């Protein structure tokens, strides 16, 4: 068995550690990591239908349905029939969902500061640039 390249091993490990820390911090606010795309898409009072949310989050419709049912149960979103399309449901954040979603950016910034502790501003900029180039190269393969 061959070992993974240092790049793939490191990025996998970094992603896992960041995700674990993010999940821990979000849990304190009553949020889950899987809810982030919906909260992001609906920020600033936006209203979207379920298909648009599934497209934004890049997940299948059945998975989005399950996620929205749970978020509605938890009081984060509200769903209403689309007056222009009977088959569609419009989704918005509740006031509690809006309030809780305001915690996301400070949490992400805090975790980023932890991850980049000791990095100079130039090193941070270089790292972001390199990661963007990697993402671009990988997207080309999809």
């Amino acid at each position: 068995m061959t070992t993974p390249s240092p790049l793939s091993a490191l990025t996998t490990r970094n992603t896992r550690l960041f995700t674990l820390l993010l999940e821990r911090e979000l849990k304190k606010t009553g949020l889950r990591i899987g809810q982030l795309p919906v909260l992001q898409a609906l920020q600033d009072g936006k209203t979207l239908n379920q298909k648009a949310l599934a497209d934004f989050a890049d997940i299948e419709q059945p998975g989005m349905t399950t996620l929205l049912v749970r978020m509605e149960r938890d009081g984060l979103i509200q769903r209403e029939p689309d007056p222009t399309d009977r088959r569609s449901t419009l989704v918005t954040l509740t006031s509690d969902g809006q309030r809780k979603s305001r915690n996301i950016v400070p949490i992400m910034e805090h975790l980023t500061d932890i991850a980049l502790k000791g990095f100079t501003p130039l090193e941070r900029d270089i790292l972001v640039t390199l990661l963007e180039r990697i993402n671009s190269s990988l997207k080309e393969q999809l």
Side-chain angles (χ1 to χ4, degrees):
M1 180 171 154
T2 60
T3 59
S5 74
L7 176 62
S8 65
L10 283 170
T11 55
T12 299
R13 183 75 175 142
N14 288 337
T15 300
R16 184 172 182 276
L17 290 169
F18 197 89
T19 300
L20 288 170
L21 291 171
L22 181 57
E23 285 175 341
R24 182 177 73 187
E25 295 303 311
L26 287 173
K27 190 174 184 180
K28 294 176 186 176
T29 67
L31 298 175
R32 303 246 181 242
I33 200 164
Q35 299 167 337
L36 292 181
V38 173
L39 295 169
Q40 181 183 6
L42 298 177
Q43 66 187 353
D44 301 324
K46 291 181 185 153
T47 300
L48 294 173
N49 65 33
Q50 182 173 319
K51 181 182 180 331
L53 288 170
D55 291 344
F56 181 84
D58 197 25
I59 64 173
E60 299 293 325
Q61 285 277 4
M64 181 55 69
T65 299
T66 301
L67 177 60
L68 293 178
V69 165
R70 289 180 183 153
M71 290 180 75
E72 187 174 39
R73 176 200 66 204
D74 295 341
L76 298 172
I77 61 155
Q78 57 190 18
R79 296 186 294 173
E80 297 178 3
D82 184 339
T84 63
D85 182 355
R86 289 185 180 168
R87 300 166 295 160
S88 184
T89 302
L90 297 177
V91 183
T92 56
L93 291 178
T94 63
S95 58
D96 191 42
Q98 291 172 9
R99 182 182 56 77
K100 287 182 177 181
S101 69
R102 287 186 209 111
N103 294 312
I104 296 169
V105 170
I107 288 170
M108 296 291 277
E109 287 175 348
H110 174 68
L111 292 177
T112 299
D113 287 342
I114 289 171
L116 300 179
K117 180 181 173 184
F119 282 58
T120 67
L122 178 59
E123 289 171 328
R124 288 175 181 230
D125 290 344
I126 290 169
L127 178 61
V128 168
T129 299
L130 294 174
L131 291 172
E132 287 172 342
R133 286 175 54 191
I134 290 170
N135 282 338
S136 178
S137 295
L138 294 173
K139 282 182 184 178
E140 289 176 6
Q141 301 304 308
L142 295 178

